[in-house]
Amino acid sequence: MTIGIVGLGLIGGSLAKALKAYTDTVVWGGDISQNVISAALDLGVIDGRLSQNCLSKCDMVVVTLYPAETVEYVKKHARLFKKGAIVMDCCGVKSFVCSALKSVAENAQFIFIGAHPMAGAARGGFENSFPELFLNASLILTPYENTPRKAVKTVWKLALKLGFGRLQIVTPERHDEIVSYTSHLCHLLSCAYISSPLAPEYEGFTAGSFRDMTRIARINETMWSELLIENREHLCREADEFILRLRELMELVRSQDRRGLCRLLRKCREIKENLDAKQEKSG
Amino acid sequence: MTIGIVGLGLIGGSLAKALKAYTDTVVWGGDISQNVISAALDLGVIDGRLSQNCLSKCDMVVVTLYPAETVEYVKKHARLFKKGAIVMDCCGVKSFVCSALKSVAENAQFIFIGAHPMAGAARGGFENSFPELFLNASLILTPYENTPRKAVKTVWKLALKLGFGRLQIVTPERHDEIVSYTSHLCHLLSCAYISSPLAPEYEGFTAGSFRDMTRIARINETMWSELLIENREHLCREADEFILRLRELMELVRSQDRRGLCRLLRKCREIKENLDAKQEKSG
């Protein structure tokens, strides 16, 4: 199997490293930075630079660019993909990407599958990529109704070799709705938390709760401003509902309703314990 | 040195284990649970049960109970502490505890020092305690103006042996103001986040950002309802300000102001990077 990877950042770089570590795939890699391509070649995690000529030989092409760039790249190279090749993106929003590329793929006769590997790290770039990034992670796929089942199976078979733990298949719209809560809202809250003028002053008065709350505030602003705005409707609704729940907790605190607060906090603990138990079971 | 520990939960248990691992202190331990005392004796992390007779022989007594219980315990046993002994609490709120015990300590001629070890874990109790809990943690002390400097030095000398990395000395009021942001608000946000009806449904669609956002939602509701209500004024002010900052971010998202959002997210990243750099330098 020959795979092309477009963009060798945290995701693309980790993908190349995992492919080389766990499979015998031929990997061609492209990146805007010549230094990154040289580093990837030196490490032997790509077999060569992804030229236009190579592109048409790939059985699978994984585009790990930001959403608008991804759409632009796939449109621009649509006629170069091998007929029947699987082309995937890795964006954190799916409706925008999948709706833009449906007819493009049909016209050029390649198979486009929206993908979102639920994996990340506080520091991005090829230099921080590592082959275990996807270990036990969920892979969300958002195929079209008419996407061949065989193609989805091929992707999942490969993903299992890379360490992914779970496969989730949903529509692009449902994906965006879900991750607006499970991921995008977390990033918004972490940033709202850390942007207090007090944050720098209080260094030395923090512990694990502060560290966890702020880890993802080390944010890639270029990518995340695009993701958050692209998913703005779901995200703002989730954020509004979050504020309602926060105000409910604040009201219990302010009115010194110990019993009511205790009851609500216990509910939170139970939700978390149930989730942890499910994850231990499945992972 | 002979130290009494009142309450062998996560903090008290870890303290006993660290004292036995890293010092040659004699440790007497008390707990409401006979099983916990037996376990601590079996593990050799206490030299015996903390009886009233032992209490009067201790050079230092560390009370690791919840705030109201702490005040009650110290008041009740005030006449039993050795004259000049150091008595410390470990509560996450300090004004309430320190103001209640100032005159009690003066009248009974022991030295009370408010303490807050900035360390915790998602699971409490003696069974989850471990000697490395305090490694590199900050120890906040809130002595009174007339607390002998020598006593504070004694505490810090011991704390260094237990692995603490930093000492912070502030007034009880300033402590409560600071931790309302660095700790209490984090717990409130994590609970407000996880109490969504969607949380249980979306299991399998989560990654690191969700895991970090929800770790502390596995909350001890008995202790935290007391802490949050005790610190309600600072906490609710911090939460109100958090909501303002969240709304500012939401407005940039909603209005698709890519440039403005990018600028604000970059500010967040820089704050976090600066904090990380400072911590790497000091730790």
Side-chain angles (χ1 to χ4, degrees), chain A residues 66 118-119 123 138 140 166 168-170 174 177-179 181-183 185-226 228-229 231-232 235-236 238-243 245-247 249-250 252-254 256-258 261-262 264-269 271-273 275-276 278-280 282, chain B residues 66 118-119 123 138 140 166 168-170 174 177-179 181-183 185-226 228-229 231-232 235-236 238-243 245-247 249-250 252-258 261-262 264-269 271-273 275-276 278-280 282:
Chain A
Y66 301 162
M118 295 289 282
R123 300 177 195 211
S138 286
I140 310 181
R166 302 177 75 166
Q168 306 284 0
I169 296 181
V170 287
R174 180 70 175 148
E177 189 183 347
I178 293 174
V179 301
Y181 173 70
T182 62
S183 165
L185 179 60
C186 297
H187 287 79
L188 205 66
L189 299 182
S190 182
C191 287
Y193 178 81
I194 210 168
S195 59
S196 163
L198 300 176
E201 258 185 73
Y202 289 172
E203 197 264 324
F205 290 89
T206 65
S209 59
F210 182 91
R211 189 192 57 229
D212 286 0
M213 181 58 64
T214 61
R215 184 182 62 86
I216 51 174
R218 195 164 183 140
I219 202 161
N220 172 339
E221 67 267 16
T222 312
M223 180 174 83
W224 278 98
S225 58
E226 187 175 351
L228 299 180
I229 286 177
N231 205 13
R232 62 193 171 278
L235 175 59
C236 288
E238 285 302 331
D240 279 329
E241 287 175 12
F242 169 86
I243 290 174
R245 297 194 301 274
L246 177 57
R247 286 212 182 281
L249 278 162
M250 285 166 70
L252 294 169
V253 169
R254 210 185 306 258
Q256 304 182 55
D257 181 352
R258 179 91 192 263
L261 181 58
C262 208
L264 189 41
L265 295 183
R266 182 169 58 241
K267 195 186 109 187
C268 295
R269 175 173 58 77
I271 294 171
K272 176 63 175 162
E273 284 175 346
L275 280 171
D276 285 354
K278 272 194 210 166
Q279 291 216 303
E280 273 165 32
S282 76
Chain B
Y66 300 162
M118 296 290 283
R123 300 179 194 209
S138 286
I140 310 180
R166 301 177 75 166
Q168 306 284 359
I169 296 181
V170 287
R174 181 70 176 149
E177 190 183 348
I178 293 174
V179 301
Y181 173 69
T182 62
S183 165
L185 180 59
C186 297
H187 287 79
L188 205 66
L189 299 182
S190 182
C191 287
Y193 177 82
I194 210 169
S195 58
S196 163
L198 300 175
E201 258 184 71
Y202 288 172
E203 198 264 323
F205 290 89
T206 65
S209 59
F210 181 92
R211 189 192 55 228
D212 286 0
M213 182 57 66
T214 62
R215 185 183 62 86
I216 51 173
R218 193 163 185 143
I219 202 162
N220 171 340
E221 66 267 16
T222 312
M223 180 174 82
W224 277 98
S225 59
E226 187 175 350
L228 299 180
I229 287 177
N231 205 13
R232 62 193 172 277
L235 175 58
C236 287
E238 285 302 330
D240 279 328
E241 288 176 12
F242 169 86
I243 291 174
R245 296 194 302 273
L246 178 57
R247 287 212 182 282
L249 278 163
M250 286 166 70
L252 293 169
V253 169
R254 210 186 307 258
S255 65
Q256 305 181 54
D257 181 351
R258 180 89 192 265
L261 181 58
C262 209
L264 189 41
L265 294 183
R266 181 169 60 242
K267 195 185 108 187
C268 294
R269 175 172 59 75
I271 294 172
K272 176 63 174 163
E273 284 175 345
L275 280 171
D276 285 354
K278 272 195 210 166
Q279 291 216 304
E280 272 164 32
S282 75

Side-chain angles (χ1 to χ4, degrees), chain B residues 46-171:
Chain B
I46 60 173
D47 296 286
R49 177 192 303 266
L50 182 70
S51 64
Q52 295 211 344
N53 186 32
C54 292
L55 200 60
S56 57
K57 289 178 185 144
C58 290
D59 305 302
M60 190 185 288
V61 178
V62 186
V63 185
T64 66
L65 305 175
Y66 300 162
E69 288 174 349
T70 295
V71 169
E72 196 189 323
Y73 178 91
V74 176
K75 279 185 175 171
K76 193 171 159 193
H77 296 81
R79 295 285 153 200
L80 293 172
F81 299 128
K82 187 158 81 174
K83 292 212 189 321
I86 296 171
V87 178
M88 287 203 309
D89 76 316
C90 289
C91 296
V93 287
K94 299 261 69 83
S95 299
F96 167 72
V97 176
C98 294
S99 62
L101 295 177
K102 192 168 192 290
S103 61
V104 176
E106 282 168 0
N107 292 337
Q109 294 180 286
F110 63 88
I111 301 168
F112 182 79
I113 303 183
H116 182 188
M118 296 290 283
R123 300 179 194 209
F126 182 76
E127 65 275 23
N128 292 305
S129 66
F130 59 103
E132 301 86 6
L133 179 64
F134 310 110
L135 211 64
N136 296 323
S138 286
L139 176 63
I140 310 180
L141 296 180
T142 61
Y144 306 115
E145 318 81 62
N146 60 349
T147 302
R149 282 191 161 205
K150 209 185 137 200
V152 174
K153 269 192 185 162
T154 302
V155 171
W156 180 234
K157 236 174 106 178
L158 184 70
L160 274 174
K161 289 188 191 162
L162 303 183
F164 280 96
R166 301 177 75 166
L167 172 65
Q168 306 284 359
I169 296 181
V170 287
T171 63

Side-chain angles (χ1 to χ4, degrees), chain A residues 99-119:
Chain A
S99 62
L101 295 177
K102 192 168 193 291
S103 61
V104 176
E106 281 167 2
N107 292 338
Q109 293 181 289
F110 62 88
I111 300 168
F112 182 79
I113 304 184
H116 182 188
M118 295 289 282

